Amino acid sequence: MSLLTESVSLAAQSIRTDWTHQEVAALFDLPFNDLLFQAQTVHRQFFDPNQVQISSLLSIKTGACPEDCAYCPQSVHYQTDLDNEGLMALPAVISKASEARNNGATRFCMGAAYRSPNSKQLERIVAMVKAVHDLGMETCATLGMLDHQQARQLKEAGLDYYNHNLDTSEAYYSEIITTRTYQDRLDTLKAVREAGLKVCCGGILGMGESRQDRVDMLHTMATLPEHPGSVPINQLIQVAGTPLENAAEVVPIDFVTVIAVARLLMPASYIRLSAGRTEMSDEMQALCFFAGANSIFYGERLLTMENPDMDSDQLLLKKLGMKPEPLQAGSH
Ligand code: SAM
Ligand code: DTB
Ligand code: SF4
């Protein structure tokens, strides 16, 4: 057994948060078939390989965001074809969540285009979290930066997950966002973790980042004090009007490689094949599942952009013999 294979099988037995950059880079260097075989082997030690966790998204406050994230259709800094909408009313959120639940989603993620919510906004969101929790779903929110007090307030309301993405490496971050720092992101993740919320933290591929940036981003996630429970890997949706509208497309095999390395580094985490699936073939998505992806966003819309329609996703899962994961007892 080679040293690397040995270190990977050891990884399968214990969950490590002490990965070195060199170890992460070595996984990227593996021949593709070896990488996929190891990722699938580790995946099977932690998960049923034929189950996929289903999350649905709802944009509860859309557009006019003061941040300048170069990928985002909701930033006030760019002219995109998007209608802004204020914070939704509670009954409308409940009705969307019930609809998602009836369609088979077990987790409902509410996204708001805020830099950080103020206390009035948070109070209204707390009511939404409570109501969705009462429907028997896992709850997730993504509202921008939070301090400790805000994170605790959401935890008390019954929030299960908070999504806050690192998006890219620390070195490349300032090329993508100038209105906040990487450290701001890490601080919010700390507040969320310390409030006892589960962390959902991932990134975007296809923003012109280098291989080293991908190594560094996964290294940062896999060496947080605890691995994020969910790791969404997004393929950039190139949105007209944003600075990244013409970014070079990510090479599909490179995307699968990132999924497989994420699976090996964070063996017990849900790795979500997130934005960008409308551009992916069935074969590409099947390869991502083989590499260890075991969660998707389901429903015709992500936050503001399109997602595959539900019929085609159902057909895809059927073709692959995969089933939606039932809600875990006690997970919520
Ligand atoms: N405003 C909050 C924040 O930034 O944390 C929450 C909402 S924000 C839209 C959530 C995530 O969506 C971003 O961190 C980013 O990873 C992802 N995202 C936004 N626009 C995207 C795009 N065009 N393609 C892929 N992912 C995108
Ligand atoms: C994540 O990593 N991807 C989701 C969710 N977390 C919030 C959002 C994708 C957004 C894609 C662009 C849009 O729909 O506006
Ligand atoms: Fe605002 Fe979030 Fe979009 Fe950045 S990603 S512009 S913070 S909504």
Side-chain angles (χ1 to χ4, degrees), residues 57 73-74 109 142 163 165 232 234 237 274-275 297 302-305:
L57 277 168
Q74 305 200 64
C109 180
T142 181
N163 164 256
N165 289 341
N234 298 279
I237 300 178
S274 301
F297 284 122
L302 290 160
L303 287 172
T304 67
M305 295 286 137

Side-chain angles (χ1 to χ4, degrees), residues 57 59 61 65 67 69-74 110-116 141-145 162-168 173 177 180 185 188 202-205 207 232-239 242 244 274-276 297 302-305:
L57 277 168
S59 181
K61 185 270 175 189
C65 182
E67 304 278 59
C69 312
Y71 48 76
C72 189
Q74 305 200 64
M110 292 163 273
Y114 292 133
R115 170 175 165 82
S116 171
T142 181
L143 317 168
M145 294 189 269
Y162 195 75
N163 164 256
H164 204 62
N165 289 341
L166 287 176
D167 283 334
T168 189
Y173 202 75
I177 299 146
R180 58 170 190 257
R185 240 29 204 178
T188 292
I204 307 180
L205 305 182
M207 302 195 294
I233 304 294
N234 298 279
Q235 176 173 286
L236 176 74
I237 300 178
Q238 298 172 331
V239 182
T242 63
L244 292 176
S274 301
F297 284 122
L302 290 160
L303 287 172
T304 67
M305 295 286 137

Side-chain angles (χ1 to χ4, degrees), residues 176-253:
I176 302 297
I177 299 146
T178 69
T179 48
R180 58 170 190 257
T181 64
Y182 212 64
Q183 190 56 49
D184 289 331
R185 240 29 204 178
L186 293 168
D187 290 347
T188 292
L189 290 171
K190 183 166 189 276
V192 165
R193 198 169 52 240
E194 289 180 356
L197 290 163
K198 287 183 256 191
V199 169
C200 170
C201 178
I204 307 180
L205 305 182
M207 302 195 294
E209 73 284 351
S210 65
R211 195 190 93 120
Q212 188 60 46
D213 291 315
R214 292 173 186 166
V215 168
D216 292 347
M217 176 182 80
L218 289 185
H219 177 265
T220 304
M221 286 171 198
T223 57
L224 288 168
E226 266 174 57
H227 291 165
S230 288
V231 180
I233 304 294
N234 298 279
Q235 176 173 286
L236 176 74
I237 300 178
Q238 298 172 331
V239 182
T242 63
L244 292 176
E245 123 171 59
N246 296 313
E249 279 175 23
V250 56
V251 174
I253 295 292

Side-chain angles (χ1 to χ4, degrees), residues 99-168:
E99 195 182 311
R101 187 190 57 178
N102 295 341
N103 286 331
T106 53
R107 191 181 304 171
F108 192 65
C109 180
M110 292 163 273
Y114 292 133
R115 170 175 165 82
S116 171
N118 65 30
S119 55
K120 264 196 166 160
Q121 292 157 346
L122 198 66
E123 239 171 70
R124 289 181 57 193
I125 294 168
V126 157
M128 296 174 193
V129 170
K130 285 186 176 149
V132 177
H133 176 87
D134 288 347
L135 291 175
M137 301 182 86
E138 282 188 319
T139 52
C140 177
T142 181
L143 317 168
M145 294 189 269
L146 295 184
D147 62 26
H148 280 82
Q149 166 57 27
Q150 292 174 312
R152 279 195 296 268
Q153 214 179 322
L154 287 166
K155 171 72 185 169
E156 276 160 27
L159 189 71
D160 295 300
Y161 280 87
Y162 195 75
N163 164 256
H164 204 62
N165 289 341
L166 287 176
D167 283 334
T168 189

Side-chain angles (χ1 to χ4, degrees), residues 250-288:
V250 56
V251 174
I253 295 292
D254 293 348
F255 188 93
V256 180
T257 297
V258 169
I259 299 260
V261 175
R263 167 52 64 224
L264 287 169
L265 297 175
M266 297 171 278
S269 303
Y270 284 85
I271 309 292
R272 185 174 307 123
L273 178 53
S274 301
R277 289 196 302 115
T278 49
E279 299 301 310
M280 295 179 195
S281 66
D282 282 2
E283 293 78 7
M284 166 73 176
Q285 294 184 63
L287 211 46
C288 290

